[in-house]
Amino acid sequence: MLALLRKYMPRLQRKLAEIDFSPQMYASSWFITLFADYFPIGIVVRIFDIYLFEGRKILFRIALAIFKLSEQKLMQAEDIELPLAHLKKFPETCDVELLIKTAHKFT
């Protein structure tokens, strides 16, 4: 995940490194559970559907989309608290169509 962030969002990756926030803090549980413990069931079903059709790449693309859609907020972080709080609340306001559209922009 770190290498993907470095490739697609280098400024964000550097910012997160500055505050000692590792994407693995969140991303590892996302991948282990296929996002089932993170998103509401409606979004999880959409992700599973795409996963069955496209394969595991969609999991990385969804993770990148979460960071991309959160990039502006995460760039404001002065410490680790803001990213942790923001990523915890992200599913509550997530627009599934925008999430999937953003995910498919990563190739």
Side-chain angles (χ1 to χ4, degrees):
M1 190 72 229
L2 188 59
L4 290 171
L5 271 178
R6 192 176 299 123
K7 177 180 179 179
Y8 291 106
M9 291 169 266
R11 284 184 50 234
L12 178 61
Q13 186 275 321
R14 285 191 301 273
K15 178 65 173 179
L16 294 177
E18 279 178 24
I19 60 170
D20 294 324
F21 180 85
S22 170
Q24 290 84 350
M25 292 174 155
Y26 260 81
S28 59
S29 70
W30 293 343
F31 298 142
I32 290 169
T33 64
L34 303 176
F35 295 97
D37 71 334
Y38 186 64
F39 284 118
I41 190 68
I43 297 174
V44 172
V45 169
R46 291 285 305 274
I47 294 170
F48 278 11
D49 187 43
I50 298 167
Y51 173 76
L52 291 173
F53 184 72
E54 295 182 10
R56 64 186 169 137
K57 287 183 181 181
I58 192 61
L59 302 178
F60 294 98
R61 290 175 178 153
I62 293 290
L64 283 170
I66 292 167
F67 282 105
K68 185 65 177 175
L69 295 172
S70 302
E71 186 173 20
Q72 187 175 14
K73 184 73 170 178
L74 296 177
M75 288 298 292
Q76 299 171 8
E78 297 295 326
D79 58 33
I80 200 168
E81 296 302 318
L82 186 134
L84 290 173
H86 176 75
L87 291 173
K88 185 175 182 179
K89 292 180 182 179
F90 181 84
E92 298 170 12
T93 60
C94 179
D95 175 347
V96 66
E97 297 303 324
L98 181 59
L99 178 71
I100 291 169
K101 182 178 178 181
T102 303
H104 280 113
K105 289 180 182 178
F106 296 105
T107 56

